[in-house]
Amino acid sequence: MKLYSDRFALPSFRRSLIGAAALALCSGSALALEPFVVKDIRVEGIQRTEAGTVFSYLPVRVGETFTEDKSISTIKALYATGFFKDVKLEADGDVLVVLVEERPAIAKVDFTGTKEFEKDMLVKALKDIGVGETKIFDKASVDRAEQELKRQYLSRGLYGVKVTTTVTPLERNRVSITFAVDEGEVAKIKQINLVGNKAFSDKELRDQLALNTGTWFSWYTKANQYSKTKLTGDIESLKSYYLNRGYVEMQVESTQVSITPDKKDIYITINIVEGEKYKVSNIKFEGEMFGREDELRQLVLLRKGDVYSGERLTATNKMIQDRLATFGYAFANVNANPDIDREKREVGFTFFVDPGKRAYVRHMNIAGNTTTRDEVIRREFRQFESSWYDANRVKLTRDRVDRLGYFKDVTIDTPEAQGTSDQVDVNLTVVEKPTGNFQIGGAFSQAEKFTFSASIQQANFAGSGNTVGIELNTSKYNRSIAFSHTNPYFTDDGVSRSYEVYLRTYRPPAINIGGYSIRQTGGRISFGVPFSEVDTVFFGIGLEHSQVETDSSSPTFWRTYLRSIGGPANGIGTASANSVPLTVAWQRDSRDSALTPTIGQYQRVNLEADFIGESKYGRAVYEYQWFRPLFSKVTLALKGEIGLGRSFGKKPYPVFKNFYAGGIGSVRGYESSSLGMLDPLSRDALGGASRLLINSELQMPFPGQGQDRSLRWFGFLDGGQVYREREKMRISELRFSTGLGISWISPVGPLKLSYAKPLNAKPGDRLERFQFQMGAGF
């Protein structure tokens, strides 16, 4: 054997080429090798790596001439794989020998002392940067992982964190990596200093900041822990606050963030240059407006002499764009150019209107519906393919789909169709929610402890949009079995049909002492006819047989009614009456969501009367709901209901058609059905022929929920009362309560909890402060 060299030769043994490669790589010079033809290639030193993997990276093959250049290329290629920490090349005759020393493989990655982050999340995050089980161990990657860990902790305000990395060798050329974390204490914001503000006080400006020095809710919001992202958002909030109050040239000149040597306290200083306060001098329009300048000018929210508001200017731009979009100009561009007069402290604006091309809708796409059929969603569409784009119709489409109640989230976007300049696609994306409902209602009181009721219903049955209900009410006092079916599109033009058959038994509420029962068997059918996008009229007819049973403990009121419908003279026994209720109803629903509305109204008038049967009565109910956002995440919800019942002729008003009030859903803080007329002897609640309810709520998402409205807390004020037939409704007799509650659209259905304090309870009123209502989905 010979070692090819331009200086000397050694007899026999293997010829080592590593020296030539090393010199070539390190010093730029190489030993001159006498080329040879490779007859075979042998790989030595591999433990886990397949020989074929090594061969695939070699730039030389059997039968080729091996040269000094190829030796350098071979070593570079093998090092570049990252599999090896040492590579040597030798020649054994005409056989090229590749000797490698593999890098260890990572057998395990573990963490100790981590409380701020879940271990599974850390394992996944580090694996993404090359440090994870089965990955090749690389010291540089481990160092990067350690720095990334520290960075994550610093983002949470843990500036005193220490990370110690231990690499433990294992058998079969493997290693175990352990990151020992000493999290230290969280650095809290000690002080926020505002410098340069004259127009507004420090308190006013601090109220605009997400960061603060700590409140009673900081354990949840972590608002007293510094975050660069939050500080950036706070600076924008300050700018918006000033811009909305006329300070056009306000600037945040600089910010300083300092931390104490013990890394426990953080001090933030924000330097503000306010500038002058400006008023609006004039408004002009330029561009293509299709003769609608007066119409567009009416949309401007700023008037001459008004204090400038950036929020109003932005809203004006959007309203003009949205208005143009209703004519098909989906890509309209509106820019307001300011003209600042610093001497007069005035600013004028010229709105440049560029409508762009009129756009058509190419495709209406649906995504996310795994159960609901496409046709169930498409029949709610008010924007159609191949027609002009209309922003109002697109929004109406979204709202109508959301009001179905089958989805917990409905979003819509209108991207420009690829390859065209005058077409858009409308993409509607839904997130389905369980539409089966196992409803549970209950309450806890000192006297009755725990009571509950239940029923089962399946909306959007098999994705068809139909509602099928089997009511199996198993409460202690009310038992029923009923089957109902609703087809919202009984006809293609949207006429709905509903029918129900039922057998129900009512007993007195838990708070009553006296006993009685009502057994009702019957059925009904009704049709709903839409005559606008938000209005529907309903017509229906039913047939009902009611059997009333009393005993010696029954309230006098019930025994009197039993005698009036042909019962025994003493009012104790059984009597029955047949009724044929006719119903007419009108409903208007303009809410943006049936599940968690934030804006819109809901109204319903329901008239029910029996002129044909034996009961001879009339019953009217008007319900009104109003929703309006007060701030970005706070919604004011108002609800009112008035119910009136009257008898016709000499027949008394049917007691089983009485209204009740008290409890969740009417007046929280009072026991269910406990308000109104009481039996003079037993003091049992008897309900009334009329009812008045008033409810108001301030609904707010929990901090940290973002735009998610599924979990909210609310403050409420309730008022209500029931009255005897033909009794005047006196506001002074309303019972009021106030309190706090939580509503949650949970994975298993809606849940509502409330704690109420009665405000004007009278002696004899039955109170119940904690109440809940829950529905479990399937």
Side-chain angles (χ1 to χ4, degrees), residues 347-365:
V347 57
F349 292 95
T350 301
F351 287 90
F352 290 91
V353 180
D354 177 13
K357 290 185 177 181
R358 202 173 191 184
Y360 294 87
V361 173
R362 186 178 66 170
H363 297 305
M364 298 282 293
N365 303 313

Side-chain angles (χ1 to χ4, degrees), residues 157-170:
L158 291 158
Y159 292 92
V161 65
K162 296 178 181 178
V163 180
T164 304
T165 306
T166 304
V167 180
T168 306
L170 302 175

Side-chain angles (χ1 to χ4, degrees), residues 43-288:
V43 180
E44 296 181 0
I46 55 176
Q47 299 181 49
R48 299 182 313 277
T49 308
E50 295 290 336
T53 301
V54 179
F55 291 146
S56 68
Y57 287 101
L58 295 179
V60 63
R61 297 289 184 266
V62 173
E64 295 179 352
T65 300
F66 188 75
T67 63
E68 184 177 341
D69 289 342
K70 288 192 175 181
S71 72
I72 295 172
S73 299
T74 299
I75 291 176
K76 283 183 176 180
L78 293 178
Y79 269 117
T81 64
F83 299 155
F84 312 110
K85 66 178 180 180
D86 193 17
V87 178
K88 295 180 181 179
L89 299 178
E90 294 181 356
D92 186 3
D94 293 329
V95 177
L96 177 61
V97 182
V98 182
L99 298 101
V100 296
E101 183 179 351
E102 292 180 322
R103 293 182 185 275
I106 300 174
K108 183 180 180 183
V109 177
D110 198 10
F111 301 87
T112 61
T114 53
K115 300 175 183 176
E116 189 72 14
F117 299 97
E118 294 289 336
K119 284 187 178 181
D120 290 344
M121 186 193 76
L122 294 176
V123 168
K124 183 180 184 303
L126 295 190
K127 192 168 186 177
D128 292 339
I129 60 175
V131 179
E133 292 184 12
T134 73
K135 297 282 188 181
I136 299 299
F137 171 74
D138 178 58
K139 182 64 166 62
S141 296
V142 173
D143 290 343
R144 286 197 303 271
E146 185 176 311
Q147 294 305 313
E148 177 63 18
L149 272 178
K150 290 180 179 178
R151 190 184 70 80
Q152 292 295 331
Y153 275 98
L154 292 178
S155 69
R156 297 284 183 98
L158 291 158
Y159 292 92
V161 65
K162 296 178 181 178
V163 180
T164 304
T165 306
T166 304
V167 180
T168 306
L170 302 175
E171 73 279 359
R172 295 187 316 219
N173 197 25
R174 299 180 303 156
V175 295
S176 171
I177 302 175
T178 302
F179 295 94
V181 180
D182 180 4
E183 294 183 338
E185 295 184 16
V186 178
K188 305 289 180 63
I189 298 174
K190 187 72 174 179
Q191 192 172 17
I192 299 177
N193 299 311
L194 297 163
V195 179
N197 55 304
K198 298 175 183 178
F200 305 104
S201 67
D202 287 2
K203 183 181 184 304
E204 285 179 281
L205 297 183
R206 288 196 185 104
D207 287 343
Q208 312 308 313
L209 306 180
L211 295 173
N212 57 50
T213 55
T215 63
W216 66 273
F217 215 54
S218 292
W219 62 271
Y220 182 81
T221 64
K222 302 188 186 300
N224 60 341
Q225 298 180 19
Y226 171 73
S227 164
K228 185 177 180 180
T229 303
K230 285 185 179 180
L231 181 59
T232 301
D234 283 345
I235 291 173
E236 293 303 316
S237 295
L238 285 177
K239 289 180 179 178
S240 296
Y241 189 76
Y242 271 92
L243 286 173
N244 293 337
R245 286 154 183 81
Y247 293 86
V248 177
E249 299 179 303
M250 178 271 184
Q251 293 291 327
V252 174
E253 193 173 49
S254 62
T255 58
Q256 292 88 40
V257 180
S258 58
I259 187 169
T260 56
D262 61 4
K263 297 183 178 180
K264 292 183 179 179
D265 297 325
I266 292 177
Y267 292 80
I268 300 174
T269 301
I270 302 175
N271 298 289
I272 297 171
V273 178
E274 292 183 330
E276 299 295 337
K277 188 175 184 178
Y278 286 80
K279 291 187 177 182
V280 178
S281 60
N282 56 72
I283 301 292
K284 299 178 181 178
F285 276 85
E286 291 187 10
E288 179 59 68

